[in-house]
Amino acid sequence: MFPPGSVWPRVRVLRVFWALLAVPLASSRVWESDDFQDCTWKVVLNKFDRVGDTHMSDRFYDQEPVDTVDSVFSMLVDSPIDPQEKYLGFPYYLKINYSCEGQPSEDLVRSGHLMGLKPVVLVTFQSSVNFYRWKIEQLQIRMEAAPFRYPGLCLAEEVCSMSWFMPMPIQNGSVVMKVEVTSNGLGPFIPNKRFRVNINGFLKKQQDTVEFTLGSELFDLTPQYFVNASSRPLWYTLDQSPVLILGGIPNEKAILLSDTNFETFSLVELSIDSCWVDSFYCPQADFSATIYDAISTESTLFIRQNQLVYYFTGTYATLYDRSHSSGSWVRVLATECIKRLCPVLFHSNGSEYVMALPTGKHEGYLHFGTITDGRVSFEMLPKGGSLCKHMFVGNCSITWAEYLSGEYILLLLVEVEDFNTKSFRVVRYNMSSDVTEVLYIIPDFIPDAEGMEFLMMVGAEMYTSSPMVPKGLFFNTYNNLLFIWGNFLLQSYNAENYTYLAGFPKELSIKYLVNSFGGDIAVITETEEIWYLLEGDYRVYQLFPSRGWSIHFSLQMLQQSSLYAANETTVTFFYEDRELYQLVYLMGHGQGRLVKRLVPVEKLLLYQQQSHYHLERQGGHPVLSFTNQCPFTMLSLANLPNPQAYTREERYLARPPHILERSGFHSKKSLAVYQGLLYYLLWLHSKYNKPYADPVHDPTWRWWKNKKQDQDYYLYLERNWLSAGGVHIDMASYEKIYNLKSEYQLPQFIFLDKGNSYEFSLKMRSKEGSAFQEQSKLAVGFGLADPHCIEAFAKQEATVLRNLVQFLITLRDKKLCYDQGISGHHLMKTSVMVKVRGSSGHCFQSTHFGLRMQGNMMLPVFIGCPPGKRLAFDITYTLEYNRLLNKQYFDCAHPDPEMPCFLFRDVFYPFFLIQDLVTGDSGSFKGRYVLKVVGGGPTLDSLRDYSEEEIYRFNSPLETVPPRTKSRIWTTKTTETTEDGAFHIMSPQSFGIDLSLAAFTLTE
């Protein structure tokens, strides 16, 4: 935060190193990173049977449960567990340590443990792409790691070497897991750290080693692989790809592969044939082994070498059948000459996509690839002939393609040659209707916008003599922002009106864009320069090379940082958790290494902002004076609602079992109990995904419902050190959490149901004068991606005593873009940008996580029926009501509490509940519905789904009209029907159902 006043604090200067200008920070800051020791969490995986082996780490490939924990549970007599259950465990543990610069890790961990430090871990599971096969959910589990002492000789009384361990959970339908490690608040300060711990389906166990299935691992990162090589984009399905790959290694059929977002990585030489097909329709100047394009999806990897395209599907038993996996690289589009692969960053409709642009005989076409459960198929578009034919031109070539996920729209950058003239056009192709539309004809030359930040392209602008050379497109599906890029930047919010960003120099040429989808864009040029743009703004900032980078780099070299070197080569850039990272190859002392490092965008902008200073004399000494360009001195969020209703995060709590060991260290047996309890908790969560409701709306209710009355007895055993196996299971340590509190920051995204709203307050302290005087200067604006779907309001009020200006902000769905459907399916992506006037690039807050930019907040919004809601059959009330009304109730001959029977002679009155699995809310369904019997059979084993014809015959009231088949199963006195009269419309106020079958069983 900046202090009040028009200038920054003045610092007396005796000597100033101008190249290393020290930037004074605000005296009113909360924390700075320099206030703490530079410590960080470290995590690795250990196989179940290798826990306790020091200095060991394992790769995450095994997806099968471990059945050896059941023998441990058999010893836990007089414990709140069901001895009839079969307890399983996960194949891995997560081992947690921490390190501080310049200190031995073992000493630190031991010291932290003695001070009461315990790592608290939040594991977030990413739902599968295929929501038709797997449930869409935002599942999280919060765990506490258990201390474990390594065996062996130790001179100390209690502990020499130790780590913290916890089970690494696996959930069916998820291969991407985010792991966030935090402190319990005791011991040393260690900042929170997030890790990607993903399943790698491209590994296999070969005897005693783990090998790659797609090639051979290379262990020598020689300089020839990276030095003087150009950086390349990292392409993958956002938030879904467990494995990321990078090609571009000169003259090598090798890729960089990582399942941890490049915290760790492997160099793999691919087992492909490297054929070169040259023909009259497929021109190829020369042959190279280089992998030019590489794209990763949830299940499948794609590469292009020369004109050939290959794919490899991994082994993911948690997603699909193993038969879908590849045994070797599969060559696809074998008769085509492919000049480029284009990624599709967002999945939709249960599938992922990739696009291949051909040249030669099929120039002007596009091959659209669909990946579903690891199965790959391609379709050639347009369907009714080439794009040239659709546009009525002689020759055309598709340079770039963007797919608008969920809208079945392709945006194409097309080079047209007609009547000996060349031009570039942006074309929209509708895949459903096979209709093509030219959206924009790109000017031939760069506009003359000298002295401007931007220029609206209205047709009356002047042009320079520099030609416009378009190279690609980029579309952000959250805010509908389209970029056309090359040696220029054009942007449009509606694909009709375009703005030229004059701050980007026409002498440079863009190589690729990197978007955080949180309001930030990094622009990488052919000369490896880095430029930065805030979405919703028109100013483009140069990050590298720049004065700010020179200051930062010099400071890092003075501190002898291991992440910087005098000789380095950039490999790629990518965003992770809305922060820009750089993968860079460092050369030093004749050796090279690959590191992942944060690009400190805020710090670079701040350094460049502080290049505006002047010297003043004060008391006979020179002082530096810096101008604070931020319109406020403090900005904070308040009155944020509890997040779960909007983020739809289902969170569970799981703590390790209590142990009867005076040292407090867990054993392999107690860790195995932790494995079994966690596995059972997630099994209960999965089992709760059913069409009928339990008497208590909580997945863990069935676990403890017969044990709660004995909890005092179990506590007595623990306090008297009598618990069997030396382990006490606390039933309160395994529960679902429904009341998470806000963390005083906007969530990463929110879901808005029909007509719902999201409200919060934005507080700012004015820079000078009273709050009333500053009201006219402090203003908040909104950028709405879809103003016809969502609206935003800001009500301003001033607080006199605290000199604050507060804005009450409301975001509301307008009920106009709602598609009734299954919970979590076919949601509309949109966003709201909240901006404080004059803050872009000027306002920063110093925190213990580093500098944070303030004044620009982008909130992605999903409109539609959110995940985590369900319509469930209310068994409990239905049984009570039917027993009361019919004066009797006959269950099955062999009763099953989860599948009750109803006597066919009795009138049947069904009732339903609307349940929120996230917040725990549950209430009666009072709407109307169409009831159909969609399956059945004489026995449970012979149940089958009916055909559409059978469903009609068994349920439709029109079956009573001749010619009739007398197949209808049930009747009702309710007269309301659908418009075509084919089915009855029921409600809780309807007459009951008269069943004409011998028996009627409600089943899944």
Side-chain angles (χ1 to χ4, degrees):
M1 285 173 227
F2 303 149
S6 58
V7 295
W8 279 35
R10 295 178 177 180
V11 181
R12 182 169 296 181
V13 177
L14 299 179
R15 295 182 182 178
V16 178
F17 295 90
W18 299 105
L20 304 176
L21 180 63
V23 179
L25 296 177
S27 58
S28 60
R29 73 202 189 287
V30 180
W31 296 107
E32 291 182 37
S33 57
D34 294 338
D35 294 333
F36 302 101
Q37 206 173 9
D38 188 12
C39 300
T40 184
W41 293 107
K42 303 287 186 182
V43 303
V44 296
L45 285 172
N46 278 167
K47 288 282 286 184
F48 182 91
D49 54 357
R50 293 173 60 166
V51 63
D53 293 351
T54 56
H55 310 297
M56 297 296 297
S57 64
D58 292 290
R59 287 170 163 170
F60 201 172
Y61 70 95
D62 193 354
Q63 303 163 54
E64 298 299 329
V66 176
D67 59 2
T68 55
V69 302
D70 198 52
S71 60
V72 179
F73 276 83
S74 64
M75 299 186 299
L76 302 183
V77 295
D78 284 339
S79 295
I81 60 171
D82 187 351
Q84 305 301 321
E85 288 286 349
K86 172 74 172 177
Y87 286 88
L88 301 173
F90 299 103
Y92 294 95
Y93 286 98
L94 196 68
K95 180 171 72 174
I96 305 172
N97 292 318
Y98 75 95
S99 64
C100 302
E101 203 156 320
Q103 296 191 43
S105 180
E106 288 186 357
D107 295 347
L108 289 168
V109 173
R110 181 170 61 247
S111 170
H113 170 69
L114 295 176
M115 288 189 284
L117 174 65
K118 287 184 180 179
V120 178
V121 181
L122 180 66
V123 178
T124 302
F125 300 92
Q126 183 66 45
S127 293
S128 173
V129 165
N130 190 356
F131 53 71
Y132 297 110
R133 184 183 182 97
W134 301 104
K135 174 187 173 185
I136 295 180
E137 58 186 359
Q138 311 289 324
L139 179 61
Q140 298 180 325
I141 184 163
R142 187 174 183 266
M143 293 175 283
E144 186 181 280
F148 180 85
R149 177 174 52 189
Y150 291 112
L153 295 176
C154 179
L155 299 179
E157 183 179 351
E158 290 293 345
V159 56
C160 277
S161 181
M162 61 159 288
S163 294
W164 291 279
F165 285 86
M166 51 161 272
M168 183 60 216
I170 299 175
Q171 178 76 355
N172 280 337
S174 179
V175 293
V176 173
M177 279 79 77
K178 298 178 183 178
V179 173
E180 183 175 7
V181 184
T182 61
S183 167
N184 64 343
L186 301 177
F189 174 81
I190 309 172
N192 301 355
K193 189 170 182 179
R194 293 178 179 174
F195 300 88
R196 297 298 194 276
V197 185
N198 303 330
I199 300 176
N200 192 331
F202 303 92
L203 293 169
K204 63 180 179 180
K205 188 171 183 179
Q206 195 73 19
Q207 295 180 350
D208 294 332
T209 62
V210 177
E211 300 177 352
F212 283 98
T213 57
L214 44 72
S216 302
E217 185 172 4
L218 304 176
F219 296 96
D220 188 9
L221 299 179
T222 60
Q224 68 184 27
Y225 295 152
F226 303 100
V227 175
N228 298 325
S230 176
S231 75
R232 47 276 196 193
L234 181 63
W235 288 337
Y236 57 96
T237 308
L238 287 175
D239 298 324
Q240 300 294 152
S241 300
V243 171
L244 305 182
I245 59 174
L246 264 179
I249 298 175
N251 300 313
E252 297 289 341
K253 57 176 183 179
I255 58 173
L256 281 171
L257 184 148
S258 175
D259 52 29
T260 59
N261 275 33
F262 288 102
E263 292 289 341
T264 59
F265 48 83
S266 300
L267 182 64
V268 182
E269 184 180 41
L270 305 182
S271 54
I272 54 177
D273 49 19
S274 300
C275 294
W276 180 29
V277 180
D278 190 13
S279 66
F280 70 94
Y281 64 82
C282 188
Q284 185 78 17
D286 53 9
F287 169 80
S288 172
T290 307
I291 305 299
Y292 290 104
D293 297 328
I295 300 174
S296 57
T297 68
E298 183 180 60
S299 60
T300 308
L301 308 179
F302 291 86
I303 61 168
R304 179 181 67 89
Q305 184 194 50
N306 300 306
Q307 79 279 19
L308 308 179
V309 176
Y310 300 84
Y311 74 83
F312 197 107
T313 299
T315 302
Y316 287 107
T318 58
L319 292 181
Y320 46 74
D321 191 86
R322 290 180 178 272
S323 62
H324 296 195
S325 308
S326 300
S328 60
W329 285 95
V330 179
R331 186 178 168 191
V332 68
L333 303 173
T335 62
E336 298 288 342
C337 177
I338 304 300
K339 63 182 178 182
R340 171 173 289 152
L341 292 180
C342 290
V344 178
L345 303 182
F346 292 95
H347 63 93
S348 62
N349 200 33
S351 298
E352 299 168 280
Y353 308 97
V354 66
M355 294 175 289
L357 305 183
T359 188
K361 65 178 180 179
H362 284 145
E363 192 83 59
Y365 286 90
L366 175 146
H367 294 282
F368 188 79
T370 302
I371 308 100
T372 306
D373 284 346
R375 298 287 177 86
V376 179
S377 62
F378 278 90
E379 176 186 14
M380 192 166 72
L381 301 172
K383 302 173 185 175
S386 74
L387 201 64
C388 311
K389 179 181 177 181
H390 278 244
M391 298 170 60
F392 304 104
V393 297
N395 296 303
C396 68
S397 175
I398 301 176
T399 303
W400 195 272
E402 285 282 312
Y403 178 58
L404 278 56
S405 299
E407 300 182 34
Y408 302 99
I409 297 292
L410 289 172
L411 294 180
L412 308 172
L413 178 61
V414 184
E415 183 180 5
V416 175
E417 184 176 355
D418 205 21
F419 302 109
N420 297 321
T421 61
K422 288 186 178 182
S423 64
F424 285 89
R425 304 178 186 181
V426 178
V427 178
R428 175 192 286 139
Y429 171 70
N430 190 311
M431 297 173 59
S432 300
S433 61
D434 199 37
V435 173
T436 300
E437 177 187 3
V438 177
L439 297 179
Y440 185 62
I441 299 177
I442 300 173
D444 295 331
F445 297 96
I446 299 285
D448 187 357
E450 186 174 356
M452 306 180 189
E453 282 191 357
F454 66 93
L455 176 66
M456 299 294 296
M457 305 291 288
V458 296
E461 53 274 356
M462 302 294 290
Y463 293 92
T464 67
S465 58
S466 301
M468 264 191 167
V469 185
K471 296 173 61 179
L473 304 175
F474 191 95
F475 184 81
N476 187 340
T477 188
Y478 284 110
N479 57 17
N480 301 325
L481 188 58
L482 171 66
F483 282 95
I484 309 172
W485 52 268
N487 60 338
F488 63 92
L489 266 176
L490 284 174
Q491 72 174 26
S492 174
Y493 284 97
N494 56 12
E496 294 178 5
N497 304 305
Y498 291 82
T499 303
Y500 171 67
L501 304 185
F504 184 79
K506 60 182 181 296
E507 294 78 16
L508 298 176
S509 180
I510 297 173
K511 182 161 46 176
Y512 56 94
L513 304 182
V514 188
N515 198 310
S516 70
F517 296 98
D520 313 90
I521 294 180
V523 180
I524 314 301
T525 71
E526 294 287 356
T527 55
E528 305 298 347
E529 293 191 14
I530 312 171
W531 293 71
Y532 175 76
L533 173 68
L534 278 168
E535 290 185 318
D537 197 13
Y538 297 108
R539 184 177 177 184
V540 186
Y541 301 88
Q542 186 177 9
L543 299 183
F544 172 82
S546 67
R547 178 181 176 82
W549 180 269
S550 298
I551 295 172
H552 171 71
F553 183 79
S554 299
L555 290 172
Q556 296 300 316
M557 295 301 288
L558 277 179
Q559 296 171 4
Q560 297 182 341
S561 170
S562 60
L563 300 178
Y564 292 81
N567 186 4
E568 55 185 40
T569 301
T570 297
V571 179
T572 193
F573 294 89
F574 59 94
Y575 274 98
E576 179 182 316
D577 296 325
R578 298 188 179 180
E579 291 187 313
L580 182 62
Y581 285 88
Q582 179 184 21
L583 191 64
V584 60
Y585 186 77
L586 306 179
M587 278 294 297
H589 307 291
Q591 293 184 341
R593 56 194 180 91
L594 203 59
V595 299
K596 171 187 174 182
R597 72 187 184 198
L598 179 69
V599 179
V601 175
E602 293 85 356
K603 188 178 291 186
L604 299 177
L605 293 177
L606 182 61
Y607 285 171
Q608 291 177 200
Q609 179 177 310
Q610 300 316 311
S611 62
H612 305 291
Y613 61 89
H614 60 277
L615 280 174
E616 294 181 358
R617 298 197 68 81
Q618 180 177 326
H621 300 284
V623 289
L624 286 174
S625 179
F626 298 92
T627 302
N628 181 3
Q629 302 179 42
C630 184
F632 52 81
T633 60
M634 184 276 292
L635 181 146
S636 63
L637 301 178
N639 303 320
L640 286 160
N642 288 349
Q644 285 177 287
Y646 298 95
T647 61
R648 312 305 300 163
E649 294 170 347
E650 293 186 68
R651 183 174 294 188
Y652 288 88
L653 173 66
R655 299 189 186 97
H658 298 175
I659 53 170
L660 307 184
E661 167 62 43
R662 297 187 186 278
S663 66
F665 287 104
H666 281 254
S667 64
K668 291 185 178 182
K669 289 185 178 180
S670 63
L671 288 177
V673 172
Y674 197 6
Q675 284 269 9
L677 293 173
L678 182 62
Y679 190 100
Y680 195 78
L681 177 65
L682 290 179
W683 178 80
L684 286 173
H685 168 79
S686 300
K687 192 173 183 292
Y688 199 67
N689 182 25
K690 54 190 178 182
Y692 53 90
D694 282 343
V696 177
H697 180 36
D698 190 290
T700 63
W701 169 76
R702 288 183 177 273
W703 196 356
W704 311 120
K705 65 184 179 72
N706 297 324
K707 300 290 184 178
K708 283 288 187 181
Q709 67 271 18
D710 299 326
Q711 59 184 353
D712 291 339
Y713 170 66
Y714 301 131
L715 186 61
Y716 166 81
L717 293 177
E718 183 212 9
R719 290 180 175 176
N720 289 276
W721 296 71
L722 298 174
S723 298
V727 173
H728 168 70
I729 299 172
D730 182 8
M731 290 178 277
S733 294
Y734 303 87
E735 60 180 349
K736 193 170 186 179
I737 302 174
Y738 298 104
N739 57 349
L740 288 179
K741 302 302 180 183
S742 171
E743 297 180 352
Y744 300 100
Q745 61 182 1
L746 289 180
Q748 287 195 339
F749 51 81
I750 62 172
F751 294 83
L752 285 184
D753 206 343
K754 185 178 182 180
N756 283 6
S757 61
Y758 182 81
E759 297 180 348
F760 64 95
S761 297
L762 184 65
K763 293 182 178 181
M764 289 180 284
R765 179 171 286 119
S766 55
K767 200 164 67 171
E768 57 186 11
S770 69
F772 291 109
Q773 293 172 336
E774 292 301 311
Q775 282 192 45
S776 59
K777 298 181 182 179
L778 292 175
V780 173
F782 301 98
L784 302 178
D786 298 282
H788 59 289
C789 299
I790 196 171
E791 56 188 352
F793 309 96
K795 180 182 178 182
Q796 182 178 348
E797 57 185 35
T799 305
V800 179
L801 295 178
R802 298 181 180 178
N803 202 30
L804 292 176
V805 177
Q806 177 170 294
F807 294 88
L808 303 178
I809 296 174
T810 302
L811 314 177
R812 182 179 296 129
D813 173 57
K814 298 172 74 171
K815 304 182 183 180
L816 298 177
C817 303
Y818 186 81
D819 181 21
Q820 185 175 4
I822 300 175
S823 173
H825 290 207
H826 308 297
L827 300 172
M828 176 182 174
K829 295 186 182 75
T830 186
S831 69
V832 177
M833 176 72 78
V834 182
K835 297 186 62 176
V836 179
R837 184 176 62 187
S839 65
S840 295
H842 299 305
C843 300
F844 306 92
Q845 181 187 27
S846 182
T847 72
H848 57 276
F849 295 112
L851 282 176
R852 292 290 183 265
M853 197 176 300
Q854 288 192 303
N856 287 268
M857 294 165 282
M858 179 180 174
L859 182 61
V861 180
F862 296 90
I863 297 176
C865 185
K869 290 189 175 183
R870 70 174 183 177
L871 178 68
F873 175 49
D874 190 353
I875 292 180
T876 305
Y877 187 70
T878 299
L879 289 176
E880 292 178 0
Y881 189 85
N882 280 269
R883 183 183 291 112
L884 178 67
L885 210 64
N886 294 318
K887 311 298 183 185
Q888 62 180 358
Y889 172 66
F890 296 95
D891 204 344
C892 308
H894 302 284
D896 183 349
E898 297 196 8
M899 192 178 295
C901 297
F902 298 91
L903 186 63
F904 72 97
R905 286 193 296 264
D906 292 339
V907 178
F908 177 58
Y909 297 90
F911 292 90
F912 300 90
L913 293 171
I914 290 290
Q915 294 188 322
D916 193 323
L917 304 177
V918 177
T919 64
D921 295 335
S922 182
S924 299
F925 173 70
K926 300 184 183 301
R928 301 185 304 164
Y929 60 92
V930 174
L931 180 68
K932 300 178 185 178
V933 178
V934 297
T939 64
L940 288 178
D941 295 334
S942 62
L943 288 176
R944 66 175 181 85
D945 294 333
Y946 294 148
S947 66
E948 290 295 327
E949 179 187 357
E950 289 174 317
I951 291 174
Y952 180 84
R953 288 193 293 109
F954 295 159
N955 296 274
S956 176
L958 297 182
E959 272 293 301
T960 60
V961 180
R964 56 191 179 191
T965 61
K966 297 183 179 181
S967 301
R968 191 176 176 197
I969 291 176
W970 59 275
T971 60
T972 179
K973 294 181 180 179
T974 301
T975 59
E976 186 180 8
T977 63
T978 55
E979 290 185 4
D980 59 1
F983 300 101
H984 282 292
I985 296 178
M986 311 292 290
S987 73
Q989 292 76 39
S990 300
F991 295 98
I993 297 170
D994 183 14
L995 302 171
S996 55
L997 275 181
F1000 180 73
T1001 302
L1002 282 180
T1003 178
E1004 296 186 54

